[in-house]
Each structure stands twice: as C-alpha cells, then as structure tokens.
C-alpha cells in the first residue's frame, strides 16, 4: 500500500498527541467526586463518590458493552468485512470518547475553586472536571458516531472515518448543548440527540459520497457465518438497551420507569419485527437483516419518553409500531433511497435509528404536551416532585406550561435535523477531499472514485486495510 493512501497513520498519531496536550492542559479529576475533600456541608467526597459510582457504574458499563461489542458485532454482517467492522468500531470509539470528553468539557467549564460557579469565577482559565458521568456522556456521543459509521460502512477508508468522527463529535456536543441548555428539551434515552443526529448526519454524508459502483458490489452482502456474528451484536444491544435509556434518567422512580418502558417496548418490538419480516417475504420466511436490526427499533422509539408516564401498555404499543415501521423500511424504503435518492445506507441506519427516532421525537412532543401533576404525582400528596424532575424547566419558571415544553421538544427536533443534515453534507465534501488526497494514484483505473479513495476490489473487504490470514482448507 502506497504511503499516500496510508494517511491514517500520521493522522492518528497527530490526533492522539493533540488529545494528550489538551488533557494535560485542561483536565483534572473532579474535585467534588474524584479527589478527597470535605468542603461542602461537611460531606466528604468519599461518601459522595461512592454513591455516584453505586448509582451509575453498572449502567455505564452496560452502555460501554453496547458501544464496543453491540455496535461492533452488529456491523459484522458483511461477509468480507467482519474484521474491519469490529476493529474500526473500536478505533472510532476510542477517538470519539477522548474528543467528546474535551469538547463537552469546554462547553461546561469549571472554575479552579470547585465551590465557585463558572459564571462567577475570577479566573479565565477553564477546567474540565472528569467523573463517571463524563465517561457515560462520552459513550453516548460515541454512539452517534457509530450510527453514522454504519451508513458508510465498507465504503470509506480509516482517514475519512477519523475526520468524520472528529467533526461529528464537535457538532453533536454543540447541538446537544443547545437542545438541553437553551431549549430545555427532555431526551432521557437520547432518541433525538444521538439516534436522530447520528442517522441523518451519516445519511447526508453518504449522499455526497454516493457512487453506484459501490452499491453494485457483490461483497455488499452477508453470509451464513457473518449473519450469526451480527446476531451476537443484536443480542448484546437488546439486553443492555434499558441501561442506555435509563443511564441519564433521574435516579428513583424516573429511572425505574425508563427501564420498564424500554424493556416492554423491546419485547413487543421483537414479536412484530418477526411477524412483519415473514409477512414481507414471498416465501414467508424470516430475513436476518430484519431480525438483526428491526428488533432493536423499540429501544430507539421509546428513548426520548422512556422516563415519562406512558403506561406499560403504551410502551408495548410503541415498541410494536417501531418494529413494524423498521421492518417495512428495510423491505421497501432502503431500495428506494439507493435507487432514487442516491443514498447508500450499508447498515440500514435510517430504518433502525432514523425513522424510529422521528417516531420517538413526535411521541415526546405528545407526552410532554399532556403531562400533568395528576399523572406524575398521583400518590405524592400535593407535591410536584416527579413532574418537575422530568421537566425541570417547568419548575424554574411557573408560567411555563406543558404546551411550552411540547414546543421545545419540537424545536429540539428541528435544530437537530438542521445540524445533522447540514453538518453531514459539509463533512461529506470534506471526506471527498480527504479521499482525493489519500487516493492511490497507482491504482487509478481500479479505483471507484476520489470520494472513496479505495479500489473497487477493496470495498467491503478486510484486505483493504487489514492483514487477513488465509483460511485453512478442510
């Protein structure tokens, strides 16, 4: 492989050096939790840290498994691209986690004195305080990048993917900051900020990178073994999805609802996905593409409203609808996107993350608009604790209504789609430039195009960037 087509080597070294420098200058252990102290109401950091870890570490670890095993193995369905899918998934995750901790930290700076708020800090130098919540938030941001990765799986080189992740993490954090801090949108399971953003960012970039030769490649499909490995990812994601949706929810009754709602939605989604898959099949058999992906759509659709009061039967209905919608998307919509709109979606991200996230966002508008104290605090006397825990903006300003909150949910969806589509288009053009710079000029006649910077034979193939051992003959 020519050095020019190996630009990912110096790029990864440079990025890690930049991360090390920025971590060295700006980051520290969170003085409230990760350093011994006794400055706040005589409450020691030992007890506070133990409490924070006890409440969050298990769910953080569940989300971690989803990121590195769930997403990684889900994308091994391509018969010649399994090594690349799992390995590049790990590479992008490690890059995104570090970068997101920094970007999120710059958007939420802290004063040298942990007892002083940043707005009142006499110093101009910001500090990034790292604790278990920082790591969990970085995992959520990484999920958005991996969703976008699924769109362009097998058609982009490592340098292009690293550039995509670097840009996407910045846009993701800025969009989430606007949505949560300025619009006061509620999204416990990150249906809007992670799934919607990641899906339509990747789809917009894919539209810019489209080349028909890639869609006609005979390696852009599964085998019996690759489907089996992909199901490993599906099962891991399915098992741990309640933690993904409940990890950022308020501890207590809200987090309990998030787990219950997600679990019931996922169970219902499995039944309708299987049934719809066989229904759309001329031979009335199940399609592994549908089973691997659509069975997870219930977790996406219920995410934004996971901690809201939707009732158990409501969760089951949402999951059922999500399974049908996602399976229909794989059966009918994906070919339309590729043939008519020239959007190549390798993993069917629009069907698993895109459309279900739209459904989930719309549900958050409805459930926010009808939220009342009688729903959330039925057995809580004359208090509003639970309602205001889910919708804190209503407690901050007594003049705000449930209708106002519904409007903010809609606004967050609109802003997210704008950030995702515009950002994805711009990033797609940047990836085309990276492709042109890193293209192997010695293989010009076999190369699909500068937008891919890969030879036609290397598309969807591990041999492009990995040493692949020869299989022993039986």
């Amino acid at each position: 492989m020519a050095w020019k087509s190996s630009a990912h080597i110096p790029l990864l070294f440079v990025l890690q050096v930049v991360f090390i420098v920025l971590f060295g200058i700006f980051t520290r252990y969170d003085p409230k939790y990760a350093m011994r102290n006794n400055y706040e109401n005589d409450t020691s950091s030992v007890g506070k840290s133990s409490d924070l870890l006890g409440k969050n570490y298990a769910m953080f670890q569940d989300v971690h498994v989803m990121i590195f095993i769930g997403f990684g193995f889900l994308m091994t369905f391509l018969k010649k691209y399994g090594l690349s899918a799992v390995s590049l998934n790990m590479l992008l995750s490690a890059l995104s986690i570090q970068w997101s901790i920094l970007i999120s930290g710059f958007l939420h700076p802290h004063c040298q004195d942990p007892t002083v708020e940043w707005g009142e800090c006499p110093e101009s130098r910001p500090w990034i305080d790292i604790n278990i919540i920082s790591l969990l938030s970085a995992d959520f941001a990484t999920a958005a990048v991996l969703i976008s990765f699924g769109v362009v799986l097998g058609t982009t080189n490592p340098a292009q993917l690293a550039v995509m992740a670097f840009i996407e993490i910045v846009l993701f954090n800025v969009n989430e900051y606007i949505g949560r801090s300025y619009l006061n949108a509620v999204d416990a399971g990150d249906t809007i900020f992670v799934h919607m953003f990641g899906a339509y960012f990747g789809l917009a970039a894919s539209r810019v990178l489209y080349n028909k030769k890639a869609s006609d490649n005979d390696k852009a499909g599964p085998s019996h073994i690759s489907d089996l490995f992909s199901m490993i990812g599906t099962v891991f994601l399915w098992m741990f999805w309640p933690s993904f949706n409940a990890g950022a929810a308020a501890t207590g009754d809200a987090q309990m609802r998030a787990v219950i709602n997600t679990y019931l939605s996922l169970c219902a989604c499995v039944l309708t996905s299987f049934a719809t898959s066989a229904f759309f099949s001329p031979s009335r058999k199940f399609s592994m593409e549908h089973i691997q992906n659509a069975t997870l759509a219930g977790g996406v659709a219920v995410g934004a409203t996971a901690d809201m009061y939707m009732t158990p039967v409501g969760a089951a209905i949402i999951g059922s609808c999500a399974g049908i919608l996602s399976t229909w998307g794989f059966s009918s919509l994906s070919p339309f996107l590729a043939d008519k709109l020239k959007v190549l979606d390798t993993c069917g991200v629009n069907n698993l993350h895109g459309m279900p996230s739209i459904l989930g966002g719309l549900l958050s508008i409805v459930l926010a608009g009808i939220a009342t104290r009688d729903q959330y605090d039925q057995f809580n006397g004359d208090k509003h604790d639970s309602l205001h825990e889910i919708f804190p903006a209503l407690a901050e300003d007594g003049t705000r209504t449930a209708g106002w909150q519904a409007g903010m949910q809609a606004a967050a969806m609109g802003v997210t789609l704008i950030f995702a589509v515009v950002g994805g288009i711009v990033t797609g053009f940047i990836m085309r430039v990276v492709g042109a710079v890193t293209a192997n000029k010695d293989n010009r006649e076999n190369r699909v195009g500068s937008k891919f910077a890969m030879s036609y034979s290397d598309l969807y193939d591990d041999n492009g960037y990995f040493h692949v051992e020869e299989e022993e003959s039986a």
Side-chain angles (χ1 to χ4, degrees):
M1 182 181 292
W3 272 105
K4 191 166 186 180
S5 59
S6 303
H8 54 282
I9 299 175
L11 176 61
L12 294 175
F13 273 121
V14 169
L15 285 175
Q16 189 55 51
V17 169
V18 170
F19 293 159
I20 290 173
V21 171
L22 293 176
F23 268 87
I25 295 174
F26 294 105
T27 67
R28 65 179 180 182
Y29 300 123
D30 188 341
K32 296 185 181 69
Y33 299 103
M35 297 181 70
R36 186 66 62 90
N37 69 68
N38 192 29
Y39 64 82
E40 185 179 340
N41 299 326
D42 294 326
T43 301
S44 170
S45 63
V46 175
K48 294 169 65 178
S49 299
S50 178
D51 185 56
L52 188 69
L53 278 174
K55 291 178 178 177
N56 294 281
Y57 186 75
M59 289 193 173
F60 159 70
Q61 196 67 346
D62 289 351
V63 174
H64 220 47
V65 170
M66 292 178 68
I67 295 299
F68 286 93
I69 296 181
F71 278 102
F73 277 88
L74 180 65
M75 291 186 275
T76 60
F77 71 97
L78 292 171
K79 55 191 172 186
K80 295 288 187 179
Y81 206 68
L83 297 179
S84 301
V86 176
S87 302
L88 292 176
N89 181 90
M90 184 178 187
L91 171 63
L92 293 180
S93 297
L95 187 161
S96 300
I97 287 170
Q98 295 181 84
W99 188 222
S100 185
I101 290 174
L102 292 167
I103 296 300
S104 179
F106 289 135
L107 292 172
H108 302 88
H110 293 84
C111 190
Q112 168 68 25
D113 184 350
T115 64
V116 179
E117 295 295 330
W118 175 250
E120 302 173 357
C121 185
E123 304 168 358
S124 59
R125 175 183 174 174
W127 284 96
I128 299 174
D129 293 347
I130 300 180
N131 56 44
I132 189 70
I133 302 301
S134 309
L135 307 184
L136 181 60
S137 298
D139 271 354
F140 286 137
T142 299
V145 173
L146 299 183
I147 290 168
S148 300
F149 172 45
V151 180
V152 297
L153 183 72
T155 61
T156 43
N157 66 29
Q160 290 174 303
L161 292 172
V163 169
M164 182 191 76
F166 189 84
I167 298 172
E168 186 171 3
I169 284 294
V170 176
L171 296 177
F172 168 86
N173 278 280
V174 172
N175 175 67
E176 185 181 41
Y177 180 75
I178 293 172
R180 295 192 189 277
S181 299
Y182 289 96
L183 299 178
N184 296 290
V186 174
D187 188 13
D190 279 313
T191 294
I192 299 171
F193 297 125
V194 169
H195 298 286
M196 186 181 297
F197 180 87
Y200 291 106
F201 182 96
L203 290 167
S206 179
R207 176 62 185 86
V208 177
L209 297 172
Y210 178 80
N211 190 299
K212 193 175 187 304
K213 289 184 178 180
S215 63
D216 294 338
N217 194 295
D218 59 2
K219 285 178 285 188
S223 69
H224 183 77
I225 298 299
S226 66
D227 270 338
L228 180 60
F229 273 97
S230 182
M231 273 303 296
I232 295 174
T234 299
V235 172
F236 269 97
L237 287 170
W238 196 93
M239 289 193 304
F240 292 124
W241 211 294
S243 293
F244 190 94
N245 284 353
T251 55
D253 59 294
Q255 201 165 56
M256 182 68 75
R257 282 196 302 273
V259 170
I260 294 171
N261 290 333
T262 303
Y263 193 59
L264 292 175
S265 180
L266 286 167
C267 288
C269 182
V270 170
L271 269 67
T272 57
S273 296
F274 270 81
T276 309
S277 176
F279 176 80
F280 280 122
S281 170
S283 60
R284 300 296 179 257
K285 293 182 178 181
F286 303 122
S287 167
M288 286 310 301
E289 181 183 35
H290 304 162
I291 307 308
Q292 290 157 357
N293 295 278
T295 53
L296 302 171
V300 177
V302 82
T305 56
D307 58 348
M308 296 184 191
Y309 195 88
M310 67 177 66
T311 73
V313 68
I317 292 172
I318 292 171
S320 299
C321 294
I324 296 171
L325 177 65
S326 181
T327 308
W328 169 80
F330 277 102
S331 178
S332 304
L333 191 58
S334 289
F336 174 81
L337 291 177
D339 297 338
K340 304 300 182 182
L341 301 184
K342 302 186 186 306
V343 176
L344 184 61
D345 184 2
T346 305
C347 292
V349 163
N350 181 58
N351 311 311
L352 171 55
H353 300 278
M355 293 191 298
S357 71
I358 296 292
L359 173 62
L362 294 175
L363 287 169
S364 76
I365 297 173
V366 174
L367 291 183
I370 64 174
T372 64
R373 191 195 74 81
D374 291 339
Q375 283 180 321
Y376 288 85
D377 293 283
Q378 181 180 359
F379 305 104
N380 199 21
D382 58 352
K383 298 180 180 179
H384 294 71
D385 295 8
S386 185
L387 175 65
H388 290 165
E389 190 175 56
I390 304 301
F391 305 107
L394 301 184
E396 295 172 4
D397 187 340
T399 63
R400 292 171 178 169
T401 64
W404 175 88
Q405 183 66 57
M408 292 301 100
Q409 297 298 121
M413 287 183 64
V415 172
T416 296
L417 286 172
I418 292 172
F419 263 88
V421 173
V422 175
I425 291 173
V426 173
T427 302
F429 280 108
I430 295 174
M431 292 171 71
R432 288 183 64 170
V433 173
V434 173
V437 171
T438 60
N440 184 358
K441 304 301 183 183
D442 297 332
N443 198 23
R444 184 184 298 274
E445 69 283 354
N446 193 31
R447 188 159 45 85
V448 175
S450 63
K451 60 185 70 177
F452 287 111
M454 296 170 66
S455 68
Y456 182 78
S457 61
D458 287 340
L459 290 171
Y460 310 108
D461 197 316
D462 288 326
N463 286 285
Y465 286 90
F466 288 84
H467 289 291
V468 180
E469 301 293 335
E470 295 184 4
E471 296 184 7
E472 296 182 5
S473 58

